[in-house]
Amino acid sequence: MTKKKLFLIALSSGVLQSLAWFHTMLLAPLMLVALVPLLKVEDYILQNQDKFSKGAVFSYTYPAFLLFTLTQTWWICKSTMIGLIVPFYEACFMSLVFWLYHFCRKISKYNAGSYFFLILFWILFEFVQFKWDVNFPWLNLGNTFASYPFLVQWYSITGMEGGTVWILLCNIVIYLCLKSRGQYYLALIAVFVPMILSACMWYLYKDDDSSNTANVIAVQPNLNPYTEQYSLPPHQVVERSLELISPLIDDSVDYVLMPESAIQEFAWEHNIDSVPSVLMFNDFVRKYKNAEVIAGLSSYRVLPKGVKTEAARAFVDAPDEYYEACNIAIDIPRSGEKEDFQIHHKTILTVGVEKMPFKKTLSFMEKLALDLGGTVGTLGIDSNIVVFNSKTKDICVGTAICYESVDGNYIREFANNGANLLFVITNDGWWGNTAGYRQHLAFSRLRAIENRRYIARSANTGVSAFISPRGEIIKKTPYWQQTAIKHSLPLQTSKTIFTKYGDLLMKPLSFFAILLLLYSIVINKVRKKEAKR
């Protein structure tokens, strides 16, 4: 086989991956075979080591992954040119996974079980994607089926990482069947058994046996973040939202859900009850029996004396005292009393916009943090999960702010802390009419399945929606339209296996990946010493 042909085989994997994520993962099943060409390439290089350099696997897989990451994350550049970096470093890590897999296969003398090393190293990669400072789990393989909730109901057991394992397993088994030209029933089992299980779970699922509901209005003000949202007077921003709410609100409404950055006034949290925009919402909802408003805004939080966090900023006139800038969701109570306000600080921050990665090392770059409106630089976060408790009903709400909704392990903590309803507030207009806002909406469908909770989603721009515990979109708004929608959402209290225990696969598989790598390094050194003798 010529190197040109090998390169084209590898590149076909990038094409398949890109097609799988086309639009809003419309061709997701393609991902079950998308990595087969790369397995073929790695296998060929392994069998012909004398013809290739040590880094050949990385060199051949990188263009494929770069094609995939470029086609799926280019839209980040619509908000910042730093988005150009994302596809290149994501592709780099994906290729590194294949190189580690190749290295350990070589040490293991190519035994049949070594193909499954890929699962270990890919899960380790996705584990790191959640945990390190440059966290970007957007392209994790398990997200591929976000538009096909009918096929992944078992995410309520395994979480999204179960989908990653399934995709990798199918690719490996299908490749092995093609290679051996037999035992195709194994491929059919790998592909269809999880689908059949999911179909059964879909039809057997029932809501909790409860008549308790929450009536929610989700508002989509549709303020263009580049031309309106941060330039209009704050009271006009609120007035636009109130005009959308007025035709829908009555005494039955429990929550009016506003998007991220819905209030355009910076607020000191200890005086949150005196912010004019907050008072406007409070005056409006107190006319009704139960209604509370949940809205996003930027705030400042004074730190206790002697406390200096990673996000701390010194007061100009008191350099020994500090405060934090935060991105928050607030629950505005009908009472308007300061002690009744509830605040959740965004904790899963957007890299380069809301936090400086590796800040201790790169502190000199803090001033380069990107300004996407609101607060710039590393933000303050919550040390504990905060849920909002209704003052009039037995409703407990977990409210995710934008990027937080991508992290399933974080969202499940809302349900673990009593949330019987989930909200997502976001501002997806930075990316324009691209796959970005559509994919972000689809990820909320996975969060609904994982925790078996109804979700209300309010987007300033993009799409607002109501989602069922099966991941169905019950009702949604058109894209880029000023509107509001209303729905009654049943409250769910039971906890799924995923809610209770999180990603059962991620930590143990990551641990075994590290052990395998250490073992392979040691064996490789031993063999080199023996060869010298």
Side-chain angles (χ1 to χ4, degrees):
M1 185 186 302
T2 64
K3 292 185 177 181
K4 181 179 180 180
K5 183 176 181 181
L6 201 65
F7 173 79
L8 292 175
I9 290 173
L11 197 61
S12 69
S13 174
V15 174
L16 289 171
Q17 292 176 66
S18 300
L19 288 174
W21 276 61
F22 173 72
H23 195 268
T24 317
M25 295 83 87
L26 292 181
L27 302 175
L30 283 178
M31 192 61 82
L32 298 175
V33 297
L35 300 179
V36 168
L38 295 184
L39 292 170
K40 169 67 176 176
V41 168
E42 188 279 332
D43 219 358
Y44 184 82
I45 293 173
L46 191 64
Q47 302 298 332
N48 298 274
Q49 296 180 52
D50 56 320
K51 298 179 182 179
F52 296 92
S53 66
K54 291 183 179 180
V57 168
F58 186 96
S59 300
Y60 277 92
T61 59
Y62 186 77
F65 287 126
L66 183 59
L67 176 61
F68 170 55
T69 55
L70 274 173
T71 57
Q72 299 312 314
T73 62
W74 66 270
W75 43 265
I76 299 175
C77 298
K78 293 181 75 69
S79 60
T80 168
M81 292 310 294
I82 286 186
L84 283 172
I85 300 172
V86 174
F88 289 92
Y89 86 71
E90 282 292 298
C92 181
F93 284 119
M94 292 176 181
S95 293
L96 180 60
V97 167
F98 254 82
W99 185 86
L100 292 173
Y101 155 68
H102 170 75
F103 171 72
C104 292
R105 277 198 72 211
K106 185 167 59 175
I107 299 301
S108 71
K109 302 294 186 180
Y110 335 143
N111 66 68
S114 65
Y115 288 100
F116 297 93
F117 292 170
L118 179 60
I119 295 176
L120 298 180
F121 287 117
W122 201 285
I123 291 296
L124 175 62
F125 159 64
E126 294 197 353
F127 179 76
V128 172
Q129 285 283 60
F130 283 109
K131 299 300 181 182
W132 77 320
D133 267 16
V134 192
N135 57 312
F136 190 74
W138 196 279
L139 296 178
N140 284 12
L141 292 181
N143 287 332
T144 305
F145 283 87
S147 293
Y148 286 83
F150 180 77
L151 300 179
V152 291
Q153 291 297 298
W154 40 271
Y155 278 22
S156 63
I157 301 172
T158 67
M160 179 271 298
E161 286 304 312
T164 295
V165 172
W166 178 42
I167 288 170
L168 293 169
L169 183 64
C170 286
N171 276 276
I172 293 168
V173 172
I174 290 171
Y175 172 66
L176 290 176
C177 289
L178 292 173
K179 183 180 179 182
S180 64
R181 298 181 182 179
Q183 297 183 315
Y184 293 110
Y185 69 91
L186 294 176
L188 294 175
I189 290 172
V191 171
F192 290 106
V193 167
M195 291 184 179
I196 293 169
L197 173 63
S198 179
C200 292
M201 294 177 72
W202 174 280
Y203 288 113
L204 293 175
Y205 173 78
K206 292 182 179 180
D207 285 349
D208 291 345
D209 187 15
S210 172
S211 58
N212 295 330
T213 61
N215 291 311
V216 182
I217 295 174
V219 184
Q220 186 168 295
N222 205 58
L223 291 156
N224 190 317
Y226 291 107
T227 60
E228 294 179 290
Q229 188 173 15
Y230 302 101
S231 59
L232 287 176
H235 73 274
Q236 288 187 21
V237 174
V238 176
E239 287 169 356
R240 177 182 292 193
S241 296
L242 296 181
E243 288 176 3
L244 298 172
I245 298 166
S246 294
L248 299 177
I249 194 167
D250 54 35
D251 283 342
S252 70
V253 171
D254 297 298
Y255 284 104
V256 174
L257 185 62
M258 301 295 303
E260 180 185 26
S261 304
I263 294 175
Q264 287 305 307
E265 288 177 273
F266 284 89
W268 287 97
E269 291 182 15
H270 58 279
N271 289 324
I272 198 79
D273 59 322
S274 61
V275 176
S277 294
V278 172
L279 291 173
M280 289 177 70
F281 277 119
N282 179 247
D283 289 341
F284 180 79
V285 297
R286 68 170 55 191
K287 304 171 188 175
Y288 304 95
K289 185 177 179 181
N290 300 311
E292 299 176 27
V293 174
I294 291 180
L297 74 155
S298 298
S299 71
Y300 295 125
R301 172 171 60 181
V302 178
L303 295 172
K305 285 190 176 182
V307 174
K308 184 180 180 181
T309 65
E310 191 175 280
R313 306 164 188 223
F315 284 98
V316 175
D317 55 350
D320 294 330
E321 296 182 21
Y322 299 92
Y323 70 97
E324 292 176 327
C326 306
N327 183 352
I328 68 172
I330 58 169
D331 185 330
I332 303 173
R334 295 178 66 257
S335 68
E337 298 295 330
K338 182 183 296 187
E339 60 271 17
D340 290 336
F341 278 84
Q342 301 173 79
I343 298 176
H344 160 61
H345 300 82
K346 186 177 181 182
T347 300
I348 307 298
L349 303 177
T350 307
V351 179
V353 179
E354 298 172 322
K355 74 172 179 179
M356 173 59 62
F358 314 113
K359 186 177 179 182
K360 291 182 180 179
T361 305
L362 304 175
S363 58
F364 65 94
M365 294 181 65
E366 180 75 9
K367 293 181 181 179
L368 299 180
L370 308 174
D371 187 355
L372 295 188
T375 307
V376 180
T378 300
L379 304 187
I381 62 176
D382 279 329
S383 56
N384 299 303
I385 293 292
V386 175
V387 294
F388 297 153
N389 291 287
S390 170
K391 299 300 180 184
T392 58
K393 286 187 175 182
D394 188 19
I395 306 174
C396 185
V397 177
T399 304
I401 304 173
C402 192
Y403 196 53
E404 290 182 326
S405 65
V406 182
D407 190 334
N409 262 305
Y410 179 77
I411 298 301
R412 77 180 182 88
E413 293 299 344
F414 286 122
N416 269 329
N417 281 267
N420 47 28
L421 187 62
L422 296 176
F423 290 163
V424 175
I425 62 174
T426 186
N427 185 4
D428 291 342
W430 302 109
W431 313 318
N433 191 8
T434 67
Y437 80 86
R438 293 190 290 267
Q439 291 171 2
H440 196 201
L441 167 63
F443 295 159
S444 291
R445 304 176 76 174
L446 299 183
R447 304 294 86 82
I449 295 169
E450 288 169 344
N451 299 284
R452 295 303 189 191
R453 293 291 187 273
Y454 282 88
I455 292 180
R457 187 178 195 269
S458 172
N460 170 47
T461 50
V463 172
S464 302
F466 296 110
I467 302 170
S468 80
R470 294 197 297 188
E472 298 171 283
I473 295 180
I474 305 167
K475 184 185 294 185
K476 68 177 182 178
T477 63
Y479 170 72
W480 205 269
Q481 185 178 114
Q482 289 182 39
T483 188
I485 52 177
K486 179 181 176 181
H487 201 73
S488 179
L489 303 176
L491 306 179
Q492 308 296 296
T493 57
S494 60
K495 295 181 181 180
T496 65
I497 292 176
F498 174 77
T499 299
K500 291 178 181 178
Y501 305 109
D503 284 315
L504 295 169
L505 299 171
M506 185 177 280
K507 289 184 179 179
L509 292 182
S510 298
F511 176 71
F512 285 125
I514 294 171
L515 287 183
L516 173 62
L517 180 58
L518 293 175
Y519 171 79
S520 298
I521 291 172
V522 170
I523 294 299
N524 188 48
K525 287 185 176 181
V526 169
R527 287 177 182 171
K528 284 183 176 180
K529 285 183 179 181
E530 290 177 348
K532 288 181 180 180
R533 292 174 187 173

